[in-house]
Every structure is written in C-alpha cells, then in structure tokens.
C-alpha cells in the first residue's frame, strides 16, 4: 500500500494522466463490464429465487452504507495523489461524527454537517503538519491521529453529553442527544414506475428497474452531495492544471518543484481536503444513519475506505465501485441473512471460474488452477447447503472486500512518491 520511506523520491518525471474514465478504463469497456455483471446477477436471481438481490430496498440500503466508505476513500485519494499516505482517515471520520452530533444537537443538522467537515479538516491539518512540515513517518502520524481522535472525542463526550441539559435530552458519555434529520426525497413518478416494473420480475429489465429505483428513492441530500464530490474530484484532479500540479507532487515532487510548483502548499491543500471529506463521511453516519453521535459508530469504515481506494487504483470511478461493492454485500447480510447471502455463492462460483479461464488464457497457470479449485469448492458449498451460517453472514462484506483486493492487486499502480519524505529545495 505504501512505498518504503526514503529521503529521496524516485527520479521519474511526473506525467499527465489522460485516463478516459474515472476508473482508468475506456468508458465502453466499463459499461460492458457493468452490463455483463447485471446479466450474471439476473441469472443468479432467477436460478435461486432470491429476488432481494436487485430489489429497490436492497440497492437503497447499499447506497446508504456505501456513502461514508466512498467519502473516506475519496479522502484518501486526495491525500495520496499528493504523496501523503493517510492512515488517519478513521480518526478524521470519528472527529466528523462528534462534531456533527455535538453542533447538530445544539443548533440544526446543517450546521452540524459543516462542523463535522470542519473537525475533519482539523484532523487533516494535524496529519499535514506532522508529515509535511516535520517529516514524521506517514503511517506513524496516521495511527497517532486515530488514537488522538478517539481519546479526544471520548473525553469531550463525557464532558458535554453526560449531565445537564444534554443528559435530560437523552445524552450519555457514549452518545449525544438525538439530532434533527436532514431532508430525504424521491424523484416524483419515476420511483413508483420503476417499483412497478421491478414487481414483474422480468429478466434483466426488472433487475435494472430495481437498481435504478434504489438510486432515486429516499435519497439523502448528503448522498447527492457525495455524488457531486466524486464527479467534482475527478474533474479537478484530472481535467485542471491545479489537479495536474497536485498529482505531480505525488509522482515526483522534485520535478514539480523545478517547474515552479509550491509542493508544500499543494500537499497541505490536499490533506486538508482529505480531512474534510473524511469528516463529511463521519457526519453522514451521525446525521443520516443514526441521527446521533455514537461512540465507535465509524466501525472501521476509514480503513475500509482506504481499501476501496486501493481497489479503485487511486481513481474516483474504481473507488466508487469498491465502495458500492462493500455497501451492497453489507446491506445484503443486514437485510436478508443467510439465505440470500447463500445465493452469492453461485455468483462467486461463476466469477472465479471466469477468472480461472482468463488466467489460463494469459498462461498464468498457478493462478488459474487456484481460482478453479476455489470455484469448485464454493460450488460444492452451494449445492450441499441451503443457507450460509449466521457467524459467516456477518463477515460477508469483509470477506468480499479481501477477495476483491486479492484479485485486483496485480493491476494496481500507486503514485510513485506516495509516502516518501520531501524537503523543499531537495533537488538543488
């Protein structure tokens, strides 16, 4: 995930990235992959009778679970594209949850949202000062931010929520009083029409209707903001001179400095934006998911967001797919339990078998054999059981995340100077 810490970045010059989509693939290929994936899920739904696989409720729940992970991953992308590894995403999310719950309870959820972003920015600046100005190891600094954020919020929660007006309103040392909800909305007419088509259970058509229905039903305003931030981040980082300069700091800061780029400034901006995005992800958990600050409510989503960013190859499109995959598998196990998760085994068998064929075509015999053996074992598991044991069901999203990361590891390319120390004037 990170390069070995050295004092001298690699000598390669920074290159402009002209990828045609946010995931680094041509748009046509990306759409083809999505179409094939939809067809496979539709076939599995018909064979297994697990209509919840593509239901409106399933997709809506998956979207809600994917947003904070996606925002954490987007935060990591901004930071690492500038060359700063940000393991402190979890801590910045924790700061965001507390800031949103604290100010949101005392005033209104909109100010709580802004405060959650602001608290995240503060966490990002702490990480920036340590790593950019003082040259602290990025991993060490990130872990310190996580521990500092956890301890600070626990102390402040006991101070502000455990007595007086807050305690009377339902607060205690581990949670804030309830916060008013941010607005949710549907797209009039479209949501009902898609739901009607979904109920016919037609092959592919109903599946597509269910997916689209979940994307336009009961949407939070923060979800819309998150989508805009993904699109905006792609445009800023890959279509503007500012983004080119920022990414050059992550590829080769010495070369960037020789061209007149203020490397320190761009790194600081990137890490501050990273903290704000992570804080927004935490604010989503406090204001949209639970309507209150809860101790430990991030649940490791900062680390999962980092994994989604790596899966997405440090690009917004791939990152969004990784966050969506985790959110989907998490929603599946939360909403439907072992029977529906059992249907995923059949889908996993098909995907691993296809992977084995692809590796065989590429003459990667060992990987092809491994994928084929695992696919046969999964098929045997599917045929000899009726549902997945409850102990395994809860681990489904984490197993899916690890599996996807392991299968995608060979095509990853991190920024060349990611995690490396840099000092102004180093190239002179």
């Amino acid at each position: 995930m990170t390069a070995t810490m050295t004092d001298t970045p690699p000598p390669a010059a920074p290159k402009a990235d002209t990828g045609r989509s946010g995931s680094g693939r041509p748009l046509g290929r990306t759409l083809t992959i999505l179409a094939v994936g939809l067809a496979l899920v539709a076939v599995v739904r018909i064979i297994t009778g697990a209509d919840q696989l593509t239901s409106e409720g399933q997709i809506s729940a998956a979207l809600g679970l994917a947003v904070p992970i996606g925002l954490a991953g987007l935060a990591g992308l901004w930071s690492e594209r500038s060359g700063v590894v940000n393991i402190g995403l979890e801590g910045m999310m924790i700061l965001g949850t507390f800031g949103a719950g604290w100010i949101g309870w005392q005033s209104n959820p909109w100010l709580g949202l802004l405060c959650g972003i602001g608290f995240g920015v503060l966490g990002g600046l702490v990480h920036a000062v340590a790593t950019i100005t003082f040259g602290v190891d990025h991993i060490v600094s990130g872990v310190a931010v996580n521990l500092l954020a956890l301890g600070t919020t626990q102390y402040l929660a006991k101070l502000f929520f455990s007595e007086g007006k807050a305690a009377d309103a339902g607060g205690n040392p581990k949670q804030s009083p309830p916060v008013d909800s941010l607005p949710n909305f549907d797209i009039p007419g479209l949501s009902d029409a898609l739901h009607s088509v979904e109920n016919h259970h037609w092959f592919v058509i109903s599946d597509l209707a269910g997916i689209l229905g979940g994307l336009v039903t009961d949407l939070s305003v923060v979800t819309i903001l998150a989508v805009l931030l993904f699109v905006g981040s792609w445009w800023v980082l890959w279509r503007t001179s500012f983004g080119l300069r920022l990414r050059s700091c992550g590829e080769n800061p010495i070369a960037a400095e020789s061209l007149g780029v203020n490397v320190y400034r761009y790194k600081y901006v990137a890490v501050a934006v990273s903290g704000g995005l992570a804080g927004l992800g935490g604010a989503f958990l406090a204001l949209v998911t639970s309507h209150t600050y809860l101790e430990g409510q991030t649940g490791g989503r900062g680390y999962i967001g980092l994994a989604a960013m790596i899966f997405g190859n440090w690009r917004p499109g791939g990152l969004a797919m990784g966050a969506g995959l985790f959110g989907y598998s998490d929603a599946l196990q939360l909403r439907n339990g072992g029977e529906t998760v059992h249907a995923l085994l059949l889908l996993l068998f098909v995907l691993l078998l296809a992977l084995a064929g692809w590796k065989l075509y590429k003459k990667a015999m060992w990987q092809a054999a491994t994928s084929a053996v695992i696919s046969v074992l999964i098929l045997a598991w599917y045929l000899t059981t009726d549902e997945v044991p409850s102990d395994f069901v809860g681990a489904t999203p984490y197993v899916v995340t690890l599996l996807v990361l392991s299968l995608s590891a060979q095509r990853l390319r991190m920024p060349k100077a990611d995690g490396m120390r840099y000092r102004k004037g180093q190239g002179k």
Side-chain angles (χ1 to χ4, degrees):
M1 182 183 64
T2 60
T4 302
M5 293 294 185
T6 65
D7 289 331
T8 305
K15 298 183 290 185
D17 196 326
T18 57
R20 282 162 284 180
S21 72
S23 62
R25 300 186 183 95
L27 182 59
R29 187 187 304 175
T30 301
L31 293 176
T32 301
I33 292 173
L34 292 176
V36 171
L38 175 62
L40 283 176
V41 173
V43 169
V44 170
R45 176 184 65 81
I46 290 177
I47 293 174
T48 62
D51 293 331
Q52 287 295 320
L53 284 175
T54 55
S55 69
E56 175 189 295
Q58 165 66 23
I59 301 304
S60 181
L63 184 62
L65 291 167
V67 167
I69 294 171
L71 287 171
L74 192 63
L77 184 146
W78 270 85
S79 182
E80 298 210 10
R81 278 294 178 177
S82 74
V84 180
V85 173
N86 195 351
I87 297 294
L89 293 173
E90 179 76 5
M92 296 168 199
M93 289 188 76
I94 291 173
L95 291 173
T97 61
F98 179 83
W102 180 33
I103 298 300
W105 161 64
Q106 296 189 73
S107 55
N108 63 72
W110 292 106
L111 286 178
L113 190 68
L114 291 176
C115 191
I117 296 172
F119 271 45
V121 170
L122 289 177
L125 289 176
V126 170
H127 186 54
V129 170
T131 56
I132 300 169
T133 302
F134 294 105
V136 175
D137 183 283
H138 297 194
I139 306 299
V140 172
S141 175
V143 172
V145 168
N146 290 337
L147 296 175
L148 182 63
L150 180 61
T152 300
T153 53
Q154 287 177 341
Y155 171 75
L156 292 177
K158 292 176 183 177
L159 188 65
F160 293 123
F161 300 147
S162 61
E163 56 185 35
K165 186 171 68 172
D168 294 339
N172 62 58
K174 294 186 180 296
Q175 72 176 59
S176 70
V179 181
D180 292 338
S181 300
L182 289 168
N184 285 19
F185 62 91
D186 301 337
I187 297 180
L190 183 59
S191 298
D192 293 337
L194 290 171
H195 185 68
S196 176
V197 173
E198 178 198 345
N199 288 337
H200 286 85
H201 302 301
W202 294 326
F203 177 68
V204 175
I205 296 176
S206 291
D207 298 286
L208 182 61
I211 292 172
L212 294 177
L215 297 178
V216 299
T217 302
D218 198 27
L219 288 176
S220 167
V221 65
V222 186
T223 301
I224 302 300
L225 177 60
V227 172
L228 294 176
L229 286 171
F230 265 84
V231 176
S233 294
W234 168 81
W235 184 80
V236 169
L237 292 176
W238 274 270
R239 290 294 182 268
T240 67
S241 57
F242 170 85
L244 179 59
R245 294 188 187 101
L246 187 147
R247 288 186 292 112
S248 72
C249 296
E251 295 293 337
N252 192 317
I254 293 176
E257 182 186 0
S258 70
L259 296 173
V261 176
N262 189 327
V263 176
Y264 276 15
R265 179 185 300 169
Y266 278 89
K267 285 179 178 286
Y268 261 96
V269 169
V271 180
V273 171
S274 175
L277 289 168
L280 178 60
F284 181 92
L285 293 172
L287 299 176
V288 178
T289 303
S290 61
H291 307 292
T292 185
Y293 158 78
L294 295 169
E295 184 179 313
Q297 71 186 136
T298 55
R301 286 176 174 83
Y303 301 111
I304 298 168
L306 202 61
M309 179 203 68
I310 296 170
F311 162 75
N313 210 8
W314 287 265
R315 290 174 175 272
L319 160 61
M321 293 173 63
L325 177 64
F326 185 92
Y328 178 83
S329 56
D330 199 10
L332 202 64
Q333 62 94 9
L334 287 174
R335 285 171 50 85
N336 306 296
E339 292 185 5
T340 306
V341 173
H342 183 257
L344 280 184
L345 295 176
L346 186 58
L347 179 61
L348 189 58
F349 160 73
V350 175
L351 292 176
L352 286 173
L353 195 62
L355 178 65
W358 174 253
K359 292 298 182 181
L360 187 62
Y361 172 76
K362 290 290 187 179
K363 298 185 177 1
M365 300 302 178
W366 173 250
Q367 295 173 349
T370 301
S371 298
V373 169
I374 295 175
S375 68
V376 170
L377 292 175
I378 289 176
L379 179 62
W381 186 7
Y382 174 79
L383 294 175
T384 56
T385 59
D386 294 325
E387 65 178 64
V388 175
S390 58
D391 291 339
F392 184 80
V393 168
T396 299
Y398 304 97
V399 172
V400 169
T401 301
L402 289 172
L403 180 63
V404 169
L405 280 175
S406 64
L407 294 178
S408 62
Q410 294 186 357
R411 65 177 181 83
L412 301 179
R413 182 205 173 276
M414 64 186 291
K416 290 183 179 178
D418 194 15
M420 295 185 178
R421 296 186 184 98
Y422 163 78
R423 285 290 175 266
K424 188 175 182 179
Q426 191 171 335
K428 294 180 180 180

